[in-house]
Every structure is written in C-alpha cells, then in structure tokens.
Amino acid sequence: MKLDRRNRTIPVKELVDDTLVRMRRKRNRLRGSGAESPAGGFDPLLPQRRQRTVVLLAHASQRQALAPWLSYFARDDVHVSAVEEAPEWDLVGSGATFHPTPNASKLNSWLKRVGAVDVMVVLLPATGLPSGLDSPLELWERFFRHLRRRGAFVVDRRVLGDPLAARELVALLSVMAAADDPQELRTLKRRDAELARATGSVAVSRDLIVATKRQQHFLKVKESNAVSLLSVREPDLQLREIAKRAPGSFTSRATVVSHGTAEPLAGMPTEMEYPALALRHYEGRVALAGATLMYAGHSVLPDSFRWHLTDNPGNPRLKSVSATFGVIESAYRPRRALEGNFYQLDCAYPGHFGHITTEVVSRLWGWQEAKELMPDLKVLFHARPQSAKPPSLELGLFRAYGIAEEDIVWTRDPVWVDSVVSATPMWHNAEPHYVHPDIAATWRRLSDGLATGHVAAADLAERIFVSRSEGAKHRECRNIREVESVFRARGYQIVYPERLPLSEQAAVFGAARIIAGFGGSALFNVMHARRLETMIILNHEAYTARNEHLFTSVIGADVHYFWSAPDIPHGDTWSEAAFYSDWEFDFERNGAELAGLLDRL
C-alpha cells in the first residue's frame, strides 16, 4: 500500500519510520540532548516551546546537581547564576550564560534583562541564598512573577537540604494552588491573593517541588533604563530616541505665602529640578490599550505612567501587583491593528479637563519634530468608551496647537500598531514634583491658537474668582456661595470656566491680573495668563496636588494659599478619601487674613 504526499508516492513503512524519527527528534529537542530527565517525571509540567528561556539559580558547591540540568536544557537558552563571581564550574560547551547575583537586588535586575522566563530551577541550599532573601519561600514570592504564563518554578529538594524550609514552601504553594474559591481569596492578604491567582498546579516529590504559573505579568519599564533594558528584554521591539532634552533646574518664579497652616507643606520647592526628556520611536508590535497604557511582549513601556518617577508607577488600566509588575486584563488586549505612524497623546482619564491640560499638554512638545521626520504621522488617542460623542475637548486643544484634524485618529478600543512615537511629559504632579520651563512655549502656542473669536471687553476683568458649580463630585466646598460673596463685594468677577468655550476661557484668564479660586482643575487655565501678578488659592489641607505651584513656578506670581481643614484628614498614611474630601472654607481661621489681602490688592 502506498500514500501520496505532495505528488510523491511513499510506501507506508517509510511513512511510519519517518514519523517515528520525527517524534524522537521532538522528544530529544524538548529534553535537550536526550539525557535522562532530572525533572523526575514532572516533565509534562514544564512548558514545551521550541526554545525555552531557562534560569538555573545554582550554588558553587553544587557542580554535580547542575550538570544534569545543563544537559537536559542543552537546546534551550540557558542562564546560570550564582552568588559567587567565579564558581568552579565548567560551562564551556554548555551554551549557558553565567551571571553573578550576590544579592536579591542584583538577581532582580538581571532577571528583568533576561525577559519572560519559561523555567526557573532553584539549585540553592537554604543557607546559600543571595543576600536579602531569608528563605526559599521568599525567593518564590519575589521572583515567581518573572515567569511567563505556563512557566514552571522548580526547587530541587536534594540541594535545599532543609526539610523545614521545604515543608514551609510546600504548605504555602498548596494553599496558593487550591485558592480558587472567590470567598477563600478574600480571606487572603492582597499580595497572597494575587499570587494565588497566578499559581497553577503544584507537584511535590521526594526530590522536587514544581509550581506552574497561569497568569501573565508585565514588567514596568522605567524611563531611566528603557533603551538598554528593552533592547535585550524585548529584542523584537526597536527603540530609538528621536530627540533628547538635558536635565536641569531653575528657580521658581512663584513667591509663595501659606495662610492657615502651621505645618510645612511638601511639594513646593523653590529650586525646581527637572529630568532629561526623550522623544521615543518604537517599531514593532506595540499595544496601545488606552489611558496611556502601552506594552510590548511582557513589558509595560515607560510612556504608560503619568507619574513615571514614583517608586510604584501605575496606570488605570494596569492592575499593579508590585512596584515591579502589573497584570493586564483581557479587556485591554487588542483585537485589531492600525497601520501607519502614530503619536501617542492618550489621557489617563479622557475628557477630564485637569488631566488633559497637564498630562496631555505636557507631551505635545515632541509633535512638531516627530511630524517633520514622519510627514504621515498622526495623533492617536482613546476617547471614553462609554461616550458616543467625539472627544471635543481634546480635539479643540489639538487643533489649537496646530494639529490638523485629518492628522487625528481616535478610537475607543485597544489596538496594535507597528510604529508609535511618545514623549516624556514636561509635568510631574507627584514626588518628585517637576515642570520643565519650556512648557511655556506650548502654553503660548495653545493660547494663540484659541484666540480665534471676539470676546466682549465687558466679559474680561482684571480680577476674577474661579468658582465651582454646586454639587461637585469631589472636594465640594459647602459654604461656596459665602466665599463668592466676599470676592464679589470687592469687585471680582465670578467665573465658571466649565460653562465657557475654550476660546473664552483662554481670553478671560489671559486678561486677568489677579486670579483667585478653589484649588483644582478650574484654575488650570492659568496657563493662558499673560498679565498675572497675584494668585489666591483656597484649598483644604488634605489636597496634596501641586499643579498650581507648577503653573506659577513657570509663569511667575505672588501666590497666596489659604488652607482649611478637610472633613476627612489623611492620618498616618495618605488617603484617597481624604484627598477628595468635602470641606468648607474656615472663615474663623482665614477670614481676617483673606480680607486684609484683598483690601491691599
């Protein structure tokens, strides 16, 4: 009997023999060079990819324990680490790369560069861990997230040499693997619950402990090492810096006086330091998931973080599980691709005036240079998914900046792109607070672009009080009308910016010599101020945002803060409830000083 394959007649025996050979080759490929498996029957738990990334955490004294694993993974990309600089191993010919990792910090930094790991094998005695790690359990807790989805974490109990440490690890892993019940997950600490969601199956023998991973974690890449780290961690992603601006400092042009508080206020330095800025061009498969979230491979790109210099940067669409890693839900995985070159101008909270005029406007600086290099470049931003209307606020600002409407693409769902440009923001409203002085050129360009209509002289005043409509969602001032009456009685025009078109907002603030108001986004139109001399800001003490200081540090003004108590104080730690707390202006504490200041002005 004969079969035809690709127009060639093949005897059945030859076909069977060929199949057997291919099966043996596949088995040998999965098991390195055909050596006896040190996995002790747990081979099916190890991921079966064509070339796996394997990490062997070894000890200088465990030459015999290391050898069978090197042989087993001979056809894979193998990395070996040890506390010692030069352990007495012979890795020549094994194809493995050696990395000294004397402490937990070095180990973490090295694993970031390796990328998503398929198999991590721990060949360390309990007494020979890198410094900073107290137990094999802590090693698992800290480094399990470096594994890719379906990866395997393997501990060789024969090397571990500590039955108590092994039992402790097995006990916790068993709990993690069994904690699928939502009720049970709620009883765990937040970190343990997240690790439980990430843990798949657990297998234990006399020789080995194996835990598999069922969740994908993404590394948060920082700006400081984006180029060097991504070049090795994500080799399919090409990154080049189109432009850079050097770090520096300047003396704030704001003269600040605080009324009503005896405590020194953080985040308002006199000397303003700012970091280097980069205009980055990514080429490769990049996900733009909205809310500025950008990722490629197993890495969240630094452009995803509006507060990129904080120890634990976050994003509304990234579930942060540690300072190093986050989880991206399936809703934010793209299902379609866009062709072309794009400039990322997303907003963490689209449609929100305050976030757009600080976090988005501060990234406009790179548009012109990138557009000159790529004439077909288009702005891409994600509108609010629940809104069917075009994003008029963002479009209005982009057009005012000089971006043609045909160069603006907006979407509501995550997309893949192969070419995207993004800029370091000139604004950072968190520790360490900074603003780049060159942002003044962006504000001037926006102001000029918005000066398209005539505003009656009667609608322009030298002194304005920027108020808020009643029923505000956050930080409602209960005696707002009483406050307004104090300013109205002294000739201040009461302004509600949200009721005015963008062009009128720019004109009203541009004409004002004295601007007063409640702290928050209603005051952010101060970027259009051309004649500003004095600014008066009414806040409660739990409102720790420092946007007004960043604005006035560049524009220049005498700035007077009047502080009142919030309904909910921060307490020992920062509290979101306190930050958004309602309050009322404290006339007993601040009334006399406010009246005296207004009389002098």
Side-chain angles (χ1 to χ4, degrees):
M1 180 178 176
K2 297 182 178 180
L3 297 177
D4 184 73
R5 180 193 286 175
R6 293 186 182 178
N7 300 321
R8 186 169 70 91
T9 301
I10 304 174
V12 170
K13 184 178 183 305
E14 182 182 336
L15 182 64
V16 171
D17 291 343
D18 179 58
T19 301
L20 290 173
V21 169
R22 286 188 290 108
M23 288 177 64
R24 291 191 189 100
R25 285 176 179 169
K26 181 178 181 181
R27 182 190 64 197
N28 288 337
R29 183 172 65 249
L30 297 176
R31 292 179 49 188
S33 60
E36 185 65 27
S37 169
F42 290 157
D43 304 72
L45 295 178
L46 308 185
Q48 303 299 324
R49 300 174 67 237
R50 182 173 293 275
Q51 187 180 51
R52 296 165 293 193
T53 298
V54 178
V55 168
L56 305 178
L57 305 180
H59 192 269
S61 64
Q62 299 298 323
R63 183 186 306 176
Q64 290 184 339
L66 178 63
W69 291 101
L70 285 173
S71 179
Y72 182 65
F73 291 119
R75 297 183 184 273
D76 295 303
D77 180 22
V78 179
H79 301 263
V80 183
S81 83
V83 171
E84 296 78 12
E85 281 284 342
E88 294 181 4
W89 301 326
D90 184 11
L91 296 182
V92 177
S94 69
T97 306
F98 174 69
H99 310 266
T101 54
N103 54 56
S105 177
K106 288 281 187 182
L107 178 56
N108 189 52
S109 298
W110 164 60
L111 287 173
K112 289 179 184 179
R113 297 178 67 82
V114 170
V117 177
D118 290 288
V119 184
M120 187 180 297
V121 182
V122 180
L123 301 169
L124 296 170
T127 57
L129 300 174
S131 65
L133 295 173
D134 294 329
S135 66
L137 177 59
E138 186 181 3
L139 188 148
W140 173 77
E141 289 173 336
R142 292 185 59 175
F143 299 106
F144 184 62
R145 298 185 183 98
H146 283 280
L147 291 171
R148 72 168 68 241
R149 184 168 175 260
R150 297 192 180 93
F153 184 89
V154 182
V155 177
D156 194 321
R157 300 179 69 171
R158 296 161 294 191
V159 178
L160 193 61
D162 185 340
L164 183 60
R167 287 198 296 270
E168 180 185 46
L169 181 60
V170 169
L172 183 64
L173 287 177
S174 299
V175 172
M176 297 292 103
D180 272 336
D181 183 353
Q183 295 292 338
E184 187 175 355
L185 281 172
R186 278 194 282 269
T187 66
L188 299 175
K189 294 179 180 178
R190 182 174 178 270
R191 185 197 63 177
D192 290 344
E194 189 277 322
L195 286 170
R197 294 186 184 96
T199 304
S201 58
V202 173
V204 179
S205 72
R206 292 181 179 179
D207 297 335
L208 300 176
I209 303 167
V210 181
T212 64
K213 192 159 178 278
R214 61 178 175 178
Q215 194 172 45
Q216 182 172 344
H217 288 95
F218 292 81
L219 178 74
K220 302 175 187 178
V221 177
K222 298 289 188 72
E223 289 230 0
S224 57
N225 63 348
V227 175
S228 61
L229 177 58
L230 289 170
S231 64
V232 291
R233 178 179 173 85
E234 303 292 350
D236 293 334
L237 181 69
Q238 302 301 313
L239 167 59
R240 65 186 180 101
E241 293 182 339
I242 297 174
K244 292 197 72 172
R245 297 199 183 189
S249 65
F250 69 98
T251 301
S252 170
R253 297 182 62 205
T255 302
V256 176
V257 179
S258 277
H259 305 265
T261 179
E263 298 294 327
L265 297 166
M268 292 192 286
T270 300
E271 195 67 18
M272 305 291 292
E273 296 185 359
Y274 52 87
L277 306 181
L279 185 62
R280 290 176 289 271
H281 182 208
Y282 299 96
E283 292 181 282
R285 188 172 172 82
V286 178
L288 300 186
T292 74
L293 179 59
M294 298 172 57
Y295 60 92
H298 290 76
S299 304
V300 178
L301 304 182
D303 315 81
S304 304
F305 311 117
R306 59 193 177 109
W307 297 341
H308 61 96
L309 295 182
T310 57
D311 292 334
N312 186 8
N315 181 286
R317 296 192 172 184
L318 177 72
K319 182 182 178 183
S320 183
V321 298
S322 73
T324 307
F325 286 99
V327 173
I328 299 173
E329 297 178 354
S330 59
Y332 305 129
R333 307 288 181 92
R335 292 169 176 79
R336 67 186 182 98
L338 294 180
E339 294 184 0
N341 296 309
F342 297 96
Y343 191 93
Q344 193 272 114
L345 275 179
D346 270 341
C347 183
Y349 301 97
H352 188 290
F353 183 82
H355 287 280
I356 292 163
T357 51
T358 54
E359 296 156 18
V360 177
V361 166
S362 66
R363 288 182 281 121
L364 282 168
W365 67 268
W367 163 257
Q368 196 64 46
E369 187 165 352
K371 182 68 172 175
E372 290 172 2
L373 289 173
M374 306 175 198
D376 63 339
L377 188 68
K378 297 184 183 301
V379 163
L380 178 70
F381 68 92
H382 286 74
R384 287 181 291 183
Q386 67 273 21
S387 174
K389 297 180 179 179
S392 56
L393 173 58
E394 291 93 333
L395 288 172
L397 287 172
F398 295 161
R399 285 196 295 257
Y401 192 71
I403 301 173
E405 191 161 352
E406 59 267 25
D407 283 337
I408 302 173
V409 175
W410 58 279
T411 181
R412 287 186 170 83
D413 59 318
V415 293
W416 292 111
V417 299
D418 292 323
S419 171
V420 58
V421 178
S422 190
T424 307
M426 287 185 163
W427 191 274
H428 197 267
N429 181 34
E431 289 288 352
H433 295 83
Y434 77 76
V435 61
H436 197 290
D438 288 354
I439 199 171
T442 299
W443 295 339
R444 181 62 61 96
R445 182 166 168 171
L446 284 171
S447 300
D448 292 344
L450 289 170
T452 55
H454 176 71
V455 180
D459 294 327
L460 301 178
E462 286 195 336
R463 293 177 292 176
I464 63 175
F465 180 80
V466 182
S467 192
R468 307 178 75 192
S469 300
E470 289 188 272
K473 184 178 179 181
H474 298 307
R475 296 187 302 278
E476 182 175 11
C477 180
R478 284 187 296 276
N479 56 352
I480 190 170
R481 299 302 166 235
E482 189 178 352
V483 172
E484 287 180 355
S485 67
V486 169
F487 284 89
R488 186 181 290 109
R490 286 169 170 79
Y492 283 73
Q493 179 174 295
I494 309 301
V495 176
Y496 301 92
E498 69 274 14
R499 301 178 185 178
L500 303 175
L502 287 176
S503 58
E504 290 187 32
Q505 294 180 43
V508 167
F509 278 76
R513 185 174 56 84
I514 303 173
I515 298 175
F518 296 107
S521 59
L523 283 178
F524 294 1
N525 273 306
V526 71
M527 65 182 174
H528 301 299
R530 302 288 178 94
R531 305 174 59 206
L532 184 65
E533 297 174 6
T534 303
M535 194 166 183
I536 303 169
I537 304 162
L538 312 184
N539 267 336
H540 69 58
E541 291 166 316
Y543 183 53
T544 54
R546 295 292 180 255
N547 291 294
E548 294 86 0
H549 181 66
L550 299 180
F551 277 114
T552 53
S553 289
V554 174
I555 297 168
D558 292 331
V559 184
H560 292 264
Y561 287 90
F562 287 86
W563 301 97
S564 299
D567 292 352
I568 304 171
H570 280 301
D572 294 334
T573 59
W574 189 92
S575 160
E576 185 173 315
F579 181 81
Y580 289 121
S581 174
D582 292 341
W583 64 297
E584 63 181 48
F585 181 77
D586 192 335
F587 278 97
E588 184 177 348
R589 184 197 293 188
N590 292 313
E593 284 196 45
L594 176 61
L597 174 64
L598 296 181
D599 290 342
R600 291 194 301 275
L601 294 174

